[in-house]
Amino acid sequence: MQAEKDIILLDLRKLVRRFGGFTVINDVSLSITKGEMRCIIGPNGAGKTTLFNLITGDLKPNSGRVIFQDKEITKFNPEKICRIGITRKFQTPTLFSNLKVIENILMAGYGKHKISELLFKKVDAQDINRTLAILEVIKLEEKKDVLASDLSHGEKQWLEIGMLLRNEPKLLLFDEPTAGMTRQETLETAHLIRNISMNLTTIVIEHDLKFLREIGENVTVLHNGKILAEGTFDEIEQNENVKNVYLGRE
Amino acid sequence: MLMKSLKAISLESKIFLIILFILLVLPPFTSMYQIRILSKFVLFAIFAMSLDLIWGYSGMVSFGHAAFFGLGAYSLTLLLVRFPEGGTLVAIAGSLLVPVVLALFMSFFLIYGKVSGVYFAIITLVVSLTLELLCTAWYSLTKGLTGFTPIPPLSIFYLKFDADTTARLVQYYYLIILVAALIYFILHFFTRSRYGLLLQAIKDNPKRAQFLGHNIAGAKTIAFILAAAIAGLAGGLYAPLEDFISPQLLGLVYSTQVIIWVAVGGRNTLIGPFIGTIILVYLETIFSGIIVEAWYLIIGIILVVVVLFWPDGLMGIVSKRIRK
């Protein structure tokens, strides 16, 4: 088991991404080991979401490589990257708002199926049972037949997290999972994500320091498209550079 | 026991079965002319259901769906006339396959090329208009604006199908109803399958679907091709029934009319387009007999009223129940 912990799951090598003349990601190299939970923090415009877009194939880097499980995936399209095991949570709840809660989770479960496995096949009892198990985790069992658009903001965020779980990824990316949440919801979400990350590798972009304290794992600080510091939350909190550009503002 | 199995059938299918029953028992009470126009209504209803598969269910607005209908009609006719050795089955296969080839070609550029919204509508319209022009200009093949007539009857197992005699026409009528029933139930299972749910999901949020691993272009292409095949078959069966086809079948008039039929009947249901088509084509038959030019005005007003007050069409009012 100890050996497995050291396996590098995701390896970003010298990623560069420019928009026009502006370099948003500037020579970023980052390694995530299997089972790790990594937090990425940084001020607005530091390039955090762009980094996720590069990992998930939404954007292609100008140079550099993305390696997942020892395989180069830099040029893969988003659905292929998802199929090999990387699923992401978007910053704002990104759901099928005209579908019911249960149907949202079902669709996440079918994500890696071939279309031939979906054609003319009905939703079966096994699909439903797996979906109900997820609804229990995200505490939305009672709202399973509600349209996703009718959920509260916090519930939507949780529903999306439930969809990611049902998608059964190897690596989960969370882009500000507590954005717009109340203090109580933030704590509950931190707890949920912590539970999820027991069995999964996760990367979390987060602004909220309460959340980071709650999680307390490895932190990478991004600033102006570059990695400014890496370490545990306590180390980062003490780091002078980080204080200046980011924490100092609090 | 019977009650239980009746309950298992969706409301939508119940309505369809009632309509089917009415259509099946009608012939003894109707004239030959009425059977002929009823057959036409049902073919148009099939055509409308096929458009709804790509519009209502998959969110692709096509302004050129008649291209497939007309292509089906021309393929069947030309195969029957120029290649009679092939027989009816080859001709019917042609009315399915030629539109499918066009749909595959269009999918490659439109769906895989990520063309969406109004651009999708414009390009499909241009395809439809181009085919109409081509069909008009290529006189040696299609007889251009003169139109193709007469069209040989279909013959399956010693049975002949056209509108020449009452017996043949009644046979044709039942053949068309059989095809309509088959297509309804295929589409019914198709749209209620996991894949049907995927189409709804893609229409709702393509980005989320893609980032869950779904192949959205593939899923849309399947719907587009199936819709083209069904429209082609409806067009193919239309030709020997009318005994006349002209380039108009491929063009703007039918492409826009079918959109109106679907919009008025109700998108995202199968029964909506079916009923909407039959009602509107029936009204058209009545009104254009009285005041020819006024029909387009009337249908325009109907469309505006529906879009403003019932954006989900006639079936929108009951659609929440129907979808269950």
Side-chain angles (χ1 to χ4, degrees), chain B:
Chain B
M1 194 61 194
L2 183 68
M3 281 308 288
K4 221 178 188 178
S5 50
L6 269 179
K7 261 188 187 164
I9 302 172
S10 67
L11 177 61
E12 182 173 31
S13 292
K14 278 179 199 156
I15 299 175
F16 183 78
L17 288 172
I18 292 168
I19 297 174
L20 204 61
F21 179 75
I22 296 171
L23 288 172
L24 284 174
V25 298
L26 264 181
F29 312 103
T30 50
S31 69
M32 201 168 149
Y33 168 74
Q34 283 169 322
I35 292 188
R36 190 166 160 174
I37 60 169
L38 260 177
S39 308
K40 203 164 105 177
F41 292 178
V42 176
L43 286 176
F44 283 150
I46 298 173
F47 177 37
M49 284 197 292
S50 77
L51 175 68
D52 196 34
L53 178 65
I54 56 175
W55 184 18
Y57 285 94
S58 319
M60 296 178 272
V61 187
S62 169
F63 264 80
H65 202 51
F68 302 122
F69 186 84
L71 208 54
Y74 271 96
S75 305
L76 182 122
T77 305
L78 291 174
L79 278 166
L80 281 180
V81 174
R82 315 243 179 225
F83 183 55
E85 310 82 45
T88 296
L89 290 181
V90 168
I92 289 181
S95 74
L96 284 162
L97 288 178
V98 176
V100 163
V101 170
L102 175 68
L104 268 170
F105 185 72
M106 286 170 75
S107 301
F108 180 75
F109 291 102
L110 290 174
I111 299 175
Y112 283 87
K114 298 199 174 93
V115 175
S116 61
V118 68
Y119 299 100
F120 190 93
I122 292 169
I123 294 174
T124 48
L125 175 65
V126 169
V127 168
S128 166
L129 291 174
T130 308
L131 282 173
E132 187 180 9
L133 279 175
L134 191 71
C135 217
T136 310
W138 197 347
Y139 189 85
S140 59
L141 185 73
T142 64
K143 294 191 193 167
L145 282 177
T146 320
F148 224 112
T149 193
I151 293 168
L154 298 176
S155 56
I156 307 168
F157 301 123
Y158 307 106
L159 292 175
K160 295 240 183 285
F161 300 88
D162 64 9
D164 283 358
T165 67
T166 311
R168 283 181 177 189
L169 180 61
V170 171
Q171 281 169 18
Y172 208 160
Y173 175 76
Y174 282 116
L175 175 73
I176 287 169
I177 293 194
L178 177 72
V179 170
L182 268 174
I183 285 173
Y184 173 85
F185 285 105
I186 288 172
L187 287 177
H188 180 82
F189 289 114
F190 199 74
T191 52
R192 278 171 170 72
S193 67
R194 297 167 173 182
Y195 172 77
L197 195 60
L198 172 60
L199 287 182
Q200 300 277 355
I202 291 173
K203 185 175 70 165
D204 196 319
N205 194 335
K207 192 172 180 187
R208 180 71 274 174
Q210 187 184 24
F211 281 85
L212 287 170
H214 289 294
N215 176 358
I216 48 178
K220 281 177 156 184
T221 299
I222 289 174
F224 195 64
I225 285 170
L226 183 67
I230 293 172
L233 180 64
L237 292 175
Y238 176 87
L241 178 78
E242 278 294 289
D243 211 17
F244 172 78
I245 54 171
S246 71
Q248 207 188 21
L249 281 183
L250 292 143
L252 182 66
V253 175
Y254 282 95
S255 287
T256 44
Q257 278 194 341
V258 70
I259 289 178
I260 298 171
W261 299 335
V262 174
V264 170
R267 275 175 290 152
N268 223 348
T269 64
L270 293 172
I271 200 70
F274 201 91
I275 295 176
T277 304
I278 290 181
I279 293 175
L280 286 180
V281 184
Y282 178 67
L283 289 177
E284 182 182 355
T285 314
I286 293 174
F287 279 102
S288 53
I290 310 166
I291 24 173
V292 184
E293 277 78 22
W295 170 246
Y296 290 104
L297 194 64
I298 295 167
I299 199 169
I301 294 167
I302 293 176
L303 182 66
V304 170
V305 169
V306 166
V307 169
L308 284 180
F309 298 107
W310 301 305
D312 291 327
L314 294 176
M315 288 301 128
I317 306 148
V318 277
S319 77
K320 285 225 163 83
R321 293 185 60 194
I322 275 184
R323 243 174 275 163
K324 271 173 191 164

Side-chain angles (χ1 to χ4, degrees), chain A residues 209-240:
Chain A
L209 291 180
K210 294 170 215 105
F211 178 90
L212 289 174
R213 264 189 208 106
E214 188 71 18
I215 301 272
E217 292 269 347
N218 302 334
V219 178
T220 296
V221 185
L222 213 56
H223 180 57
N224 286 342
K226 288 189 160 201
I227 291 177
L228 187 70
E230 267 182 342
T232 64
F233 181 69
D234 292 334
E235 286 167 12
I236 293 294
E237 224 180 1
Q238 301 307 319
N239 186 308
E240 287 301 321

Side-chain angles (χ1 to χ4, degrees), chain A residues 56 79 82-83 88 90 94-98 107 110-111 115 117-122 124 127 160 167, chain B residues 186 189-190 193-195 197-198 200-201 204-205 207-215 218-219 222:
Chain A
T56 55
E79 62 263 32
C82 176
R83 279 169 182 258
R88 81 186 278 190
F90 290 93
T94 303
L95 311 159
F96 306 118
S97 28
N98 295 318
M107 278 334 293
Y110 296 139
I115 293 182
E117 295 173 274
L118 305 179
L119 278 169
F120 293 106
K121 282 212 178 124
K122 290 226 160 207
D124 61 28
D127 301 338
E160 196 179 350
N167 202 236
Chain B
I186 288 172
F189 289 114
F190 199 74
S193 67
R194 297 167 173 182
Y195 172 77
L197 195 60
L198 172 60
Q200 300 277 355
D204 196 319
N205 194 335
K207 192 172 180 187
R208 180 71 274 174
Q210 187 184 24
F211 281 85
L212 287 170
H214 289 294
N215 176 358
I222 289 174

Side-chain angles (χ1 to χ4, degrees), chain A residues 188-224:
Chain A
E188 281 178 31
T189 306
H191 188 69
L192 175 69
I193 290 176
R194 206 195 181 98
N195 279 341
I196 291 168
S197 60
M198 300 268 193
N199 309 311
L200 268 175
T201 313
T202 46
I203 308 178
V204 186
I205 291 177
E206 193 45 83
H207 266 308
D208 192 310
L209 291 180
K210 294 170 215 105
F211 178 90
L212 289 174
R213 264 189 208 106
E214 188 71 18
I215 301 272
E217 292 269 347
N218 302 334
V219 178
T220 296
V221 185
L222 213 56
H223 180 57
N224 286 342

